[in-house]
Amino acid sequence: MEEGSEYSEFKKHRFDIKGIGRDRSMEEYAKFVRERSDAQIKSLRSKLPHGAAVRVICVRHGMGHHNDGFELASFMNRDAELNRVGIEQISYSHAMLREAGVFSSRLLIVVSPMQRTLQTLVHLMGKEQWDTPTIVHPLAAETSVASRFKAPGFVKKLVANVQQELTRMACVAGDRGSTPSTLRKLFPREQYPQFDFSTTELYCEEMGAQWAAGGQDEGKWWHHGNSTGLESSSEDAKARGDALRRMLVREARSRGMQTVLLVSHGGILSLAFKTVPFANAEFRTFHLSVDGDIVDALKAKPCARS
């Protein structure tokens, strides 16, 4: 990491959960830089393998405030922003990808409509405005804590029920994003003209009248069509991951492109690309067939979730 940065030499917080989480995130990211980044850069520079139609460069968002305190803080953040650690991580990933020539190539960008991923993309590009075609799509949004919670079935159901009830009572706000109308205020067109949230509105319309304009849950794309208001089923999350891969191929091929930069989240990336967890701000390269199947994937050593 860059010398002189606040977290370049890791602090050890023994009694501060927030500090411990930030230390751990930086340690995992530094491990990625040392041990895995060179292989990933080599992969993204290589020719498409036989049977591949599209290369996808997956980037997990930098550390956000919801990552403070590990998974528990996810419950308390409706639509978390990056913290200063996450900004430092993404700035370093920007430098590596820029050096690899990613931003000078023909590229389609797909990004999750959550604040931390949109902010990650801005820092990853190194500027607020760009001409590269960009799609903001809910298929790339994070899975819910309930859907990725590793436990026996009855425990997963209990967690899902508790999360749904607390969300209904507005006791917690985790696993929710912001509506397109709110996102337009947070990322105004005059400052961020590349962010078109009409795709997110169309997604809501496709979910049904409940989420379309004038509906009871207008613009609440994070329901993903679930009447309970929460994508709590691991099967539903997996189906969305499969749909995400197919969408990436379809959108890239419709534009005559072979490379997609996907800025998303650890849970959905691991699920959709059948891989081990990502460190914050880690990037990996995958190749997809015309049907959205994974042609190959550079194997990565597991890292801890943060």
Side-chain angles (χ1 to χ4, degrees), residues 220-253:
K220 295 181 179 180
W221 54 264
W222 56 92
H223 290 186
H224 299 293
N226 290 276
S227 58
T228 61
L230 181 68
E231 183 189 63
S232 59
S233 164
S234 57
E235 291 77 16
D236 287 346
K238 179 182 180 301
R240 181 159 62 85
D242 294 341
L244 171 61
R245 294 197 314 274
R246 293 193 296 270
M247 181 271 289
L248 296 175
V249 174
R250 182 176 65 250
E251 294 292 345
R253 285 171 59 83

PDB file of all heavy atoms in Angstrom, residues 220-253:
ATOM      1  N   LYS A 220     -38.922   0.360  -5.089  1.00  0.00           N
ATOM      2  CA  LYS A 220     -38.173  -0.452  -4.123  1.00  0.00           C
ATOM      3  C   LYS A 220     -37.623  -1.701  -4.813  1.00  0.00           C
ATOM      4  O   LYS A 220     -38.064  -2.829  -4.595  1.00  0.00           O
ATOM      5  CB  LYS A 220     -39.058  -0.815  -2.931  1.00  0.00           C
ATOM      6  CG  LYS A 220     -39.474   0.405  -2.118  1.00  0.00           C
ATOM      7  CD  LYS A 220     -40.327   0.021  -0.915  1.00  0.00           C
ATOM      8  CE  LYS A 220     -40.710   1.258  -0.106  1.00  0.00           C
ATOM      9  NZ  LYS A 220     -41.551   0.916   1.075  1.00  0.00           N
ATOM     10  N   TRP A 221     -36.626  -1.475  -5.635  1.00  0.00           N
ATOM     11  CA  TRP A 221     -36.044  -2.540  -6.442  1.00  0.00           C
ATOM     12  C   TRP A 221     -35.438  -3.646  -5.595  1.00  0.00           C
ATOM     13  O   TRP A 221     -35.319  -4.797  -6.037  1.00  0.00           O
ATOM     14  CB  TRP A 221     -34.974  -1.959  -7.377  1.00  0.00           C
ATOM     15  CG  TRP A 221     -33.927  -1.158  -6.669  1.00  0.00           C
ATOM     16  CD1 TRP A 221     -33.889   0.197  -6.511  1.00  0.00           C
ATOM     17  CD2 TRP A 221     -32.779  -1.671  -5.976  1.00  0.00           C
ATOM     18  NE1 TRP A 221     -32.788   0.568  -5.768  1.00  0.00           N
ATOM     19  CE2 TRP A 221     -32.087  -0.567  -5.428  1.00  0.00           C
ATOM     20  CE3 TRP A 221     -32.265  -2.948  -5.776  1.00  0.00           C
ATOM     21  CZ2 TRP A 221     -30.921  -0.705  -4.692  1.00  0.00           C
ATOM     22  CZ3 TRP A 221     -31.102  -3.099  -5.035  1.00  0.00           C
ATOM     23  CH2 TRP A 221     -30.447  -1.978  -4.504  1.00  0.00           C
ATOM     24  N   TRP A 222     -35.009  -3.333  -4.359  1.00  0.00           N
ATOM     25  CA  TRP A 222     -34.335  -4.311  -3.504  1.00  0.00           C
ATOM     26  C   TRP A 222     -35.276  -5.419  -3.024  1.00  0.00           C
ATOM     27  O   TRP A 222     -34.824  -6.398  -2.451  1.00  0.00           O
ATOM     28  CB  TRP A 222     -33.674  -3.624  -2.309  1.00  0.00           C
ATOM     29  CG  TRP A 222     -34.603  -2.791  -1.473  1.00  0.00           C
ATOM     30  CD1 TRP A 222     -35.312  -3.190  -0.372  1.00  0.00           C
ATOM     31  CD2 TRP A 222     -34.921  -1.408  -1.675  1.00  0.00           C
ATOM     32  NE1 TRP A 222     -36.054  -2.149   0.115  1.00  0.00           N
ATOM     33  CE2 TRP A 222     -35.833  -1.037  -0.660  1.00  0.00           C
ATOM     34  CE3 TRP A 222     -34.523  -0.454  -2.609  1.00  0.00           C
ATOM     35  CZ2 TRP A 222     -36.358   0.247  -0.558  1.00  0.00           C
ATOM     36  CZ3 TRP A 222     -35.047   0.833  -2.502  1.00  0.00           C
ATOM     37  CH2 TRP A 222     -35.946   1.171  -1.490  1.00  0.00           C
ATOM     38  N   HIS A 223     -36.580  -5.283  -3.274  1.00  0.00           N
ATOM     39  CA  HIS A 223     -37.503  -6.390  -3.001  1.00  0.00           C
ATOM     40  C   HIS A 223     -37.304  -7.521  -4.008  1.00  0.00           C
ATOM     41  O   HIS A 223     -37.643  -8.668  -3.722  1.00  0.00           O
ATOM     42  CB  HIS A 223     -38.952  -5.911  -3.078  1.00  0.00           C
ATOM     43  CG  HIS A 223     -39.352  -5.004  -1.963  1.00  0.00           C
ATOM     44  ND1 HIS A 223     -40.655  -4.578  -1.795  1.00  0.00           N
ATOM     45  CD2 HIS A 223     -38.642  -4.435  -0.953  1.00  0.00           C
ATOM     46  CE1 HIS A 223     -40.727  -3.785  -0.737  1.00  0.00           C
ATOM     47  NE2 HIS A 223     -39.516  -3.676  -0.220  1.00  0.00           N
ATOM     48  N   HIS A 224     -36.804  -7.180  -5.197  1.00  0.00           N
ATOM     49  CA  HIS A 224     -36.594  -8.157  -6.274  1.00  0.00           C
ATOM     50  C   HIS A 224     -37.849  -8.992  -6.534  1.00  0.00           C
ATOM     51  O   HIS A 224     -37.775 -10.200  -6.795  1.00  0.00           O
ATOM     52  CB  HIS A 224     -35.400  -9.064  -5.965  1.00  0.00           C
ATOM     53  CG  HIS A 224     -34.105  -8.323  -5.822  1.00  0.00           C
ATOM     54  ND1 HIS A 224     -33.489  -7.681  -6.881  1.00  0.00           N
ATOM     55  CD2 HIS A 224     -33.321  -8.087  -4.727  1.00  0.00           C
ATOM     56  CE1 HIS A 224     -32.376  -7.099  -6.452  1.00  0.00           C
ATOM     57  NE2 HIS A 224     -32.259  -7.320  -5.160  1.00  0.00           N
ATOM     58  N   GLY A 225     -39.000  -8.323  -6.437  1.00  0.00           N
ATOM     59  CA  GLY A 225     -40.261  -8.982  -6.742  1.00  0.00           C
ATOM     60  C   GLY A 225     -40.824  -9.840  -5.632  1.00  0.00           C
ATOM     61  O   GLY A 225     -41.833 -10.528  -5.833  1.00  0.00           O
ATOM     62  N   ASN A 226     -40.220  -9.810  -4.444  1.00  0.00           N
ATOM     63  CA  ASN A 226     -40.713 -10.603  -3.320  1.00  0.00           C
ATOM     64  C   ASN A 226     -41.731  -9.791  -2.519  1.00  0.00           C
ATOM     65  O   ASN A 226     -41.417  -8.698  -2.033  1.00  0.00           O
ATOM     66  CB  ASN A 226     -39.555 -11.012  -2.402  1.00  0.00           C
ATOM     67  CG  ASN A 226     -38.643 -12.031  -3.054  1.00  0.00           C
ATOM     68  OD1 ASN A 226     -38.906 -13.222  -3.019  1.00  0.00           O
ATOM     69  ND2 ASN A 226     -37.572 -11.550  -3.676  1.00  0.00           N
ATOM     70  N   SER A 227     -42.924 -10.324  -2.376  1.00  0.00           N
ATOM     71  CA  SER A 227     -43.994  -9.591  -1.694  1.00  0.00           C
ATOM     72  C   SER A 227     -43.678  -9.339  -0.227  1.00  0.00           C
ATOM     73  O   SER A 227     -44.229  -8.431   0.393  1.00  0.00           O
ATOM     74  CB  SER A 227     -45.316 -10.358  -1.811  1.00  0.00           C
ATOM     75  OG  SER A 227     -45.186 -11.659  -1.260  1.00  0.00           O
ATOM     76  N   THR A 228     -42.762 -10.137   0.354  1.00  0.00           N
ATOM     77  CA  THR A 228     -42.381  -9.938   1.756  1.00  0.00           C
ATOM     78  C   THR A 228     -41.471  -8.729   1.924  1.00  0.00           C
ATOM     79  O   THR A 228     -41.252  -8.265   3.039  1.00  0.00           O
ATOM     80  CB  THR A 228     -41.646 -11.172   2.298  1.00  0.00           C
ATOM     81  OG1 THR A 228     -40.445 -11.375   1.535  1.00  0.00           O
ATOM     82  CG2 THR A 228     -42.514 -12.415   2.201  1.00  0.00           C
ATOM     83  N   GLY A 229     -40.917  -8.242   0.808  1.00  0.00           N
ATOM     84  CA  GLY A 229     -40.002  -7.109   0.875  1.00  0.00           C
ATOM     85  C   GLY A 229     -38.561  -7.505   1.095  1.00  0.00           C
ATOM     86  O   GLY A 229     -37.700  -6.650   1.300  1.00  0.00           O
ATOM     87  N   LEU A 230     -38.262  -8.816   1.035  1.00  0.00           N
ATOM     88  CA  LEU A 230     -36.903  -9.277   1.297  1.00  0.00           C
ATOM     89  C   LEU A 230     -36.605 -10.530   0.484  1.00  0.00           C
ATOM     90  O   LEU A 230     -37.394 -11.473   0.478  1.00  0.00           O
ATOM     91  CB  LEU A 230     -36.726  -9.586   2.789  1.00  0.00           C
ATOM     92  CG  LEU A 230     -35.343 -10.068   3.235  1.00  0.00           C
ATOM     93  CD1 LEU A 230     -34.320  -8.949   3.092  1.00  0.00           C
ATOM     94  CD2 LEU A 230     -35.393 -10.557   4.683  1.00  0.00           C
ATOM     95  N   GLU A 231     -35.480 -10.524  -0.202  1.00  0.00           N
ATOM     96  CA  GLU A 231     -35.020 -11.705  -0.931  1.00  0.00           C
ATOM     97  C   GLU A 231     -34.308 -12.617   0.070  1.00  0.00           C
ATOM     98  O   GLU A 231     -33.092 -12.623   0.187  1.00  0.00           O
ATOM     99  CB  GLU A 231     -34.064 -11.284  -2.047  1.00  0.00           C
ATOM    100  CG  GLU A 231     -33.575 -12.427  -2.915  1.00  0.00           C
ATOM    101  CD  GLU A 231     -32.471 -11.979  -3.862  1.00  0.00           C
ATOM    102  OE1 GLU A 231     -31.393 -11.569  -3.374  1.00  0.00           O
ATOM    103  OE2 GLU A 231     -32.699 -12.013  -5.078  1.00  0.00           O
ATOM    104  N   SER A 232     -35.087 -13.375   0.828  1.00  0.00           N
ATOM    105  CA  SER A 232     -34.522 -14.157   1.924  1.00  0.00           C
ATOM    106  C   SER A 232     -34.119 -15.563   1.519  1.00  0.00           C
ATOM    107  O   SER A 232     -33.395 -16.241   2.245  1.00  0.00           O
ATOM    108  CB  SER A 232     -35.524 -14.241   3.083  1.00  0.00           C
ATOM    109  OG  SER A 232     -36.738 -14.831   2.645  1.00  0.00           O
ATOM    110  N   SER A 233     -34.581 -16.026   0.367  1.00  0.00           N
ATOM    111  CA  SER A 233     -34.299 -17.388  -0.073  1.00  0.00           C
ATOM    112  C   SER A 233     -32.968 -17.461  -0.811  1.00  0.00           C
ATOM    113  O   SER A 233     -32.698 -16.662  -1.712  1.00  0.00           O
ATOM    114  CB  SER A 233     -35.428 -17.877  -0.987  1.00  0.00           C
ATOM    115  OG  SER A 233     -35.038 -19.011  -1.718  1.00  0.00           O
ATOM    116  N   SER A 234     -32.136 -18.431  -0.438  1.00  0.00           N
ATOM    117  CA  SER A 234     -30.868 -18.622  -1.144  1.00  0.00           C
ATOM    118  C   SER A 234     -31.117 -19.056  -2.585  1.00  0.00           C
ATOM    119  O   SER A 234     -30.324 -18.745  -3.481  1.00  0.00           O
ATOM    120  CB  SER A 234     -30.005 -19.655  -0.416  1.00  0.00           C
ATOM    121  OG  SER A 234     -30.692 -20.884  -0.273  1.00  0.00           O
ATOM    122  N   GLU A 235     -32.235 -19.753  -2.829  1.00  0.00           N
ATOM    123  CA  GLU A 235     -32.583 -20.161  -4.190  1.00  0.00           C
ATOM    124  C   GLU A 235     -32.907 -18.946  -5.056  1.00  0.00           C
ATOM    125  O   GLU A 235     -32.507 -18.882  -6.227  1.00  0.00           O
ATOM    126  CB  GLU A 235     -33.766 -21.130  -4.170  1.00  0.00           C
ATOM    127  CG  GLU A 235     -33.472 -22.498  -3.583  1.00  0.00           C
ATOM    128  CD  GLU A 235     -33.406 -22.497  -2.064  1.00  0.00           C
ATOM    129  OE1 GLU A 235     -33.884 -21.512  -1.448  1.00  0.00           O
ATOM    130  OE2 GLU A 235     -32.871 -23.464  -1.494  1.00  0.00           O
ATOM    131  N   ASP A 236     -33.638 -17.983  -4.482  1.00  0.00           N
ATOM    132  CA  ASP A 236     -33.950 -16.760  -5.222  1.00  0.00           C
ATOM    133  C   ASP A 236     -32.678 -15.974  -5.531  1.00  0.00           C
ATOM    134  O   ASP A 236     -32.518 -15.420  -6.620  1.00  0.00           O
ATOM    135  CB  ASP A 236     -34.914 -15.880  -4.424  1.00  0.00           C
ATOM    136  CG  ASP A 236     -36.324 -16.441  -4.391  1.00  0.00           C
ATOM    137  OD1 ASP A 236     -36.624 -17.348  -5.198  1.00  0.00           O
ATOM    138  OD2 ASP A 236     -37.126 -15.979  -3.555  1.00  0.00           O
ATOM    139  N   ALA A 237     -31.776 -15.911  -4.565  1.00  0.00           N
ATOM    140  CA  ALA A 237     -30.520 -15.189  -4.771  1.00  0.00           C
ATOM    141  C   ALA A 237     -29.686 -15.858  -5.859  1.00  0.00           C
ATOM    142  O   ALA A 237     -29.086 -15.184  -6.704  1.00  0.00           O
ATOM    143  CB  ALA A 237     -29.736 -15.121  -3.462  1.00  0.00           C
ATOM    144  N   LYS A 238     -29.655 -17.190  -5.851  1.00  0.00           N
ATOM    145  CA  LYS A 238     -28.906 -17.915  -6.882  1.00  0.00           C
ATOM    146  C   LYS A 238     -29.496 -17.659  -8.261  1.00  0.00           C
ATOM    147  O   LYS A 238     -28.760 -17.454  -9.237  1.00  0.00           O
ATOM    148  CB  LYS A 238     -28.907 -19.413  -6.589  1.00  0.00           C
ATOM    149  CG  LYS A 238     -28.158 -20.238  -7.631  1.00  0.00           C
ATOM    150  CD  LYS A 238     -28.231 -21.719  -7.340  1.00  0.00           C
ATOM    151  CE  LYS A 238     -27.461 -22.518  -8.395  1.00  0.00           C
ATOM    152  NZ  LYS A 238     -27.990 -22.282  -9.763  1.00  0.00           N
ATOM    153  N   ALA A 239     -30.829 -17.660  -8.351  1.00  0.00           N
ATOM    154  CA  ALA A 239     -31.480 -17.401  -9.635  1.00  0.00           C
ATOM    155  C   ALA A 239     -31.137 -16.003 -10.142  1.00  0.00           C
ATOM    156  O   ALA A 239     -30.934 -15.797 -11.344  1.00  0.00           O
ATOM    157  CB  ALA A 239     -32.991 -17.565  -9.496  1.00  0.00           C
ATOM    158  N   ARG A 240     -31.053 -15.050  -9.231  1.00  0.00           N
ATOM    159  CA  ARG A 240     -30.683 -13.688  -9.637  1.00  0.00           C
ATOM    160  C   ARG A 240     -29.234 -13.643 -10.104  1.00  0.00           C
ATOM    161  O   ARG A 240     -28.895 -12.917 -11.055  1.00  0.00           O
ATOM    162  CB  ARG A 240     -30.920 -12.700  -8.490  1.00  0.00           C
ATOM    163  CG  ARG A 240     -30.570 -11.262  -8.861  1.00  0.00           C
ATOM    164  CD  ARG A 240     -31.250 -10.261  -7.950  1.00  0.00           C
ATOM    165  NE  ARG A 240     -30.853 -10.379  -6.568  1.00  0.00           N
ATOM    166  CZ  ARG A 240     -29.769  -9.797  -6.036  1.00  0.00           C
ATOM    167  NH1 ARG A 240     -28.976  -9.069  -6.803  1.00  0.00           N
ATOM    168  NH2 ARG A 240     -29.490  -9.937  -4.753  1.00  0.00           N
ATOM    169  N   GLY A 241     -28.368 -14.406  -9.454  1.00  0.00           N
ATOM    170  CA  GLY A 241     -26.976 -14.466  -9.895  1.00  0.00           C
ATOM    171  C   GLY A 241     -26.857 -15.029 -11.300  1.00  0.00           C
ATOM    172  O   GLY A 241     -26.076 -14.532 -12.123  1.00  0.00           O
ATOM    173  N   ASP A 242     -27.642 -16.064 -11.598  1.00  0.00           N
ATOM    174  CA  ASP A 242     -27.644 -16.634 -12.950  1.00  0.00           C
ATOM    175  C   ASP A 242     -28.156 -15.613 -13.962  1.00  0.00           C
ATOM    176  O   ASP A 242     -27.613 -15.479 -15.065  1.00  0.00           O
ATOM    177  CB  ASP A 242     -28.517 -17.888 -12.991  1.00  0.00           C
ATOM    178  CG  ASP A 242     -27.957 -19.029 -12.150  1.00  0.00           C
ATOM    179  OD1 ASP A 242     -26.751 -19.001 -11.822  1.00  0.00           O
ATOM    180  OD2 ASP A 242     -28.736 -19.949 -11.812  1.00  0.00           O
ATOM    181  N   ALA A 243     -29.213 -14.891 -13.577  1.00  0.00           N
ATOM    182  CA  ALA A 243     -29.773 -13.866 -14.464  1.00  0.00           C
ATOM    183  C   ALA A 243     -28.777 -12.736 -14.696  1.00  0.00           C
ATOM    184  O   ALA A 243     -28.719 -12.157 -15.788  1.00  0.00           O
ATOM    185  CB  ALA A 243     -31.070 -13.318 -13.869  1.00  0.00           C
ATOM    186  N   LEU A 244     -27.985 -12.416 -13.677  1.00  0.00           N
ATOM    187  CA  LEU A 244     -26.968 -11.375 -13.809  1.00  0.00           C
ATOM    188  C   LEU A 244     -25.954 -11.752 -14.883  1.00  0.00           C
ATOM    189  O   LEU A 244     -25.626 -10.935 -15.753  1.00  0.00           O
ATOM    190  CB  LEU A 244     -26.265 -11.161 -12.468  1.00  0.00           C
ATOM    191  CG  LEU A 244     -25.021 -10.261 -12.479  1.00  0.00           C
ATOM    192  CD1 LEU A 244     -25.365  -8.855 -12.951  1.00  0.00           C
ATOM    193  CD2 LEU A 244     -24.373 -10.226 -11.086  1.00  0.00           C
ATOM    194  N   ARG A 245     -25.457 -12.974 -14.853  1.00  0.00           N
ATOM    195  CA  ARG A 245     -24.477 -13.393 -15.861  1.00  0.00           C
ATOM    196  C   ARG A 245     -25.067 -13.314 -17.267  1.00  0.00           C
ATOM    197  O   ARG A 245     -24.415 -12.831 -18.197  1.00  0.00           O
ATOM    198  CB  ARG A 245     -23.990 -14.820 -15.584  1.00  0.00           C
ATOM    199  CG  ARG A 245     -23.179 -14.990 -14.308  1.00  0.00           C
ATOM    200  CD  ARG A 245     -22.405 -16.316 -14.331  1.00  0.00           C
ATOM    201  NE  ARG A 245     -23.235 -17.431 -14.766  1.00  0.00           N
ATOM    202  CZ  ARG A 245     -24.013 -18.154 -13.965  1.00  0.00           C
ATOM    203  NH1 ARG A 245     -24.085 -17.866 -12.677  1.00  0.00           N
ATOM    204  NH2 ARG A 245     -24.721 -19.161 -14.447  1.00  0.00           N
ATOM    205  N   ARG A 246     -26.292 -13.776 -17.425  1.00  0.00           N
ATOM    206  CA  ARG A 246     -26.918 -13.737 -18.753  1.00  0.00           C
ATOM    207  C   ARG A 246     -27.104 -12.298 -19.226  1.00  0.00           C
ATOM    208  O   ARG A 246     -26.904 -11.987 -20.404  1.00  0.00           O
ATOM    209  CB  ARG A 246     -28.262 -14.472 -18.722  1.00  0.00           C
ATOM    210  CG  ARG A 246     -28.141 -15.979 -18.493  1.00  0.00           C
ATOM    211  CD  ARG A 246     -29.458 -16.684 -18.776  1.00  0.00           C
ATOM    212  NE  ARG A 246     -30.516 -16.273 -17.863  1.00  0.00           N
ATOM    213  CZ  ARG A 246     -30.784 -16.864 -16.709  1.00  0.00           C
ATOM    214  NH1 ARG A 246     -30.050 -17.904 -16.309  1.00  0.00           N
ATOM    215  NH2 ARG A 246     -31.774 -16.441 -15.939  1.00  0.00           N
ATOM    216  N   MET A 247     -27.482 -11.420 -18.310  1.00  0.00           N
ATOM    217  CA  MET A 247     -27.671 -10.017 -18.669  1.00  0.00           C
ATOM    218  C   MET A 247     -26.364  -9.375 -19.117  1.00  0.00           C
ATOM    219  O   MET A 247     -26.325  -8.604 -20.086  1.00  0.00           O
ATOM    220  CB  MET A 247     -28.259  -9.255 -17.476  1.00  0.00           C
ATOM    221  CG  MET A 247     -28.536  -7.770 -17.735  1.00  0.00           C
ATOM    222  SD  MET A 247     -27.120  -6.684 -17.382  1.00  0.00           S
ATOM    223  CE  MET A 247     -27.079  -6.771 -15.582  1.00  0.00           C
ATOM    224  N   LEU A 248     -25.268  -9.688 -18.442  1.00  0.00           N
ATOM    225  CA  LEU A 248     -23.971  -9.118 -18.803  1.00  0.00           C
ATOM    226  C   LEU A 248     -23.591  -9.489 -20.234  1.00  0.00           C
ATOM    227  O   LEU A 248     -23.139  -8.640 -21.016  1.00  0.00           O
ATOM    228  CB  LEU A 248     -22.896  -9.608 -17.831  1.00  0.00           C
ATOM    229  CG  LEU A 248     -23.037  -9.175 -16.368  1.00  0.00           C
ATOM    230  CD1 LEU A 248     -21.968  -9.848 -15.514  1.00  0.00           C
ATOM    231  CD2 LEU A 248     -22.957  -7.664 -16.228  1.00  0.00           C
ATOM    232  N   VAL A 249     -23.787 -10.752 -20.572  1.00  0.00           N
ATOM    233  CA  VAL A 249     -23.460 -11.207 -21.927  1.00  0.00           C
ATOM    234  C   VAL A 249     -24.374 -10.541 -22.950  1.00  0.00           C
ATOM    235  O   VAL A 249     -23.918 -10.056 -23.995  1.00  0.00           O
ATOM    236  CB  VAL A 249     -23.571 -12.740 -22.022  1.00  0.00           C
ATOM    237  CG1 VAL A 249     -23.383 -13.202 -23.469  1.00  0.00           C
ATOM    238  CG2 VAL A 249     -22.541 -13.406 -21.120  1.00  0.00           C
ATOM    239  N   ARG A 250     -25.654 -10.510 -22.645  1.00  0.00           N
ATOM    240  CA  ARG A 250     -26.626  -9.930 -23.582  1.00  0.00           C
ATOM    241  C   ARG A 250     -26.328  -8.455 -23.854  1.00  0.00           C
ATOM    242  O   ARG A 250     -26.308  -8.013 -25.012  1.00  0.00           O
ATOM    243  CB  ARG A 250     -28.037 -10.083 -23.004  1.00  0.00           C
ATOM    244  CG  ARG A 250     -29.138  -9.556 -23.912  1.00  0.00           C
ATOM    245  CD  ARG A 250     -30.504  -9.825 -23.322  1.00  0.00           C
ATOM    246  NE  ARG A 250     -30.735  -9.101 -22.072  1.00  0.00           N
ATOM    247  CZ  ARG A 250     -30.803  -9.672 -20.871  1.00  0.00           C
ATOM    248  NH1 ARG A 250     -30.636 -10.974 -20.734  1.00  0.00           N
ATOM    249  NH2 ARG A 250     -31.026  -8.937 -19.787  1.00  0.00           N
ATOM    250  N   GLU A 251     -26.077  -7.690 -22.802  1.00  0.00           N
ATOM    251  CA  GLU A 251     -25.837  -6.260 -22.968  1.00  0.00           C
ATOM    252  C   GLU A 251     -24.514  -5.990 -23.681  1.00  0.00           C
ATOM    253  O   GLU A 251     -24.420  -5.076 -24.507  1.00  0.00           O
ATOM    254  CB  GLU A 251     -25.852  -5.563 -21.602  1.00  0.00           C
ATOM    255  CG  GLU A 251     -27.204  -5.568 -20.901  1.00  0.00           C
ATOM    256  CD  GLU A 251     -28.237  -4.718 -21.617  1.00  0.00           C
ATOM    257  OE1 GLU A 251     -27.856  -3.908 -22.486  1.00  0.00           O
ATOM    258  OE2 GLU A 251     -29.437  -4.852 -21.304  1.00  0.00           O
ATOM    259  N   ALA A 252     -23.494  -6.774 -23.384  1.00  0.00           N
ATOM    260  CA  ALA A 252     -22.198  -6.582 -24.042  1.00  0.00           C
ATOM    261  C   ALA A 252     -22.293  -6.917 -25.526  1.00  0.00           C
ATOM    262  O   ALA A 252     -21.843  -6.145 -26.385  1.00  0.00           O
ATOM    263  CB  ALA A 252     -21.133  -7.439 -23.363  1.00  0.00           C
ATOM    264  N   ARG A 253     -22.892  -8.047 -25.849  1.00  0.00           N
ATOM    265  CA  ARG A 253     -22.976  -8.475 -27.243  1.00  0.00           C
ATOM    266  C   ARG A 253     -23.863  -7.552 -28.063  1.00  0.00           C
ATOM    267  O   ARG A 253     -23.609  -7.332 -29.254  1.00  0.00           O
ATOM    268  CB  ARG A 253     -23.480  -9.916 -27.309  1.00  0.00           C
ATOM    269  CG  ARG A 253     -22.411 -10.930 -26.910  1.00  0.00           C
ATOM    270  CD  ARG A 253     -22.973 -12.334 -26.763  1.00  0.00           C
ATOM    271  NE  ARG A 253     -23.591 -12.828 -27.983  1.00  0.00           N
ATOM    272  CZ  ARG A 253     -22.936 -13.381 -28.999  1.00  0.00           C
ATOM    273  NH1 ARG A 253     -21.613 -13.489 -28.943  1.00  0.00           N
ATOM    274  NH2 ARG A 253     -23.586 -13.830 -30.058  1.00  0.00           N
TER     275      ARG A 253
END
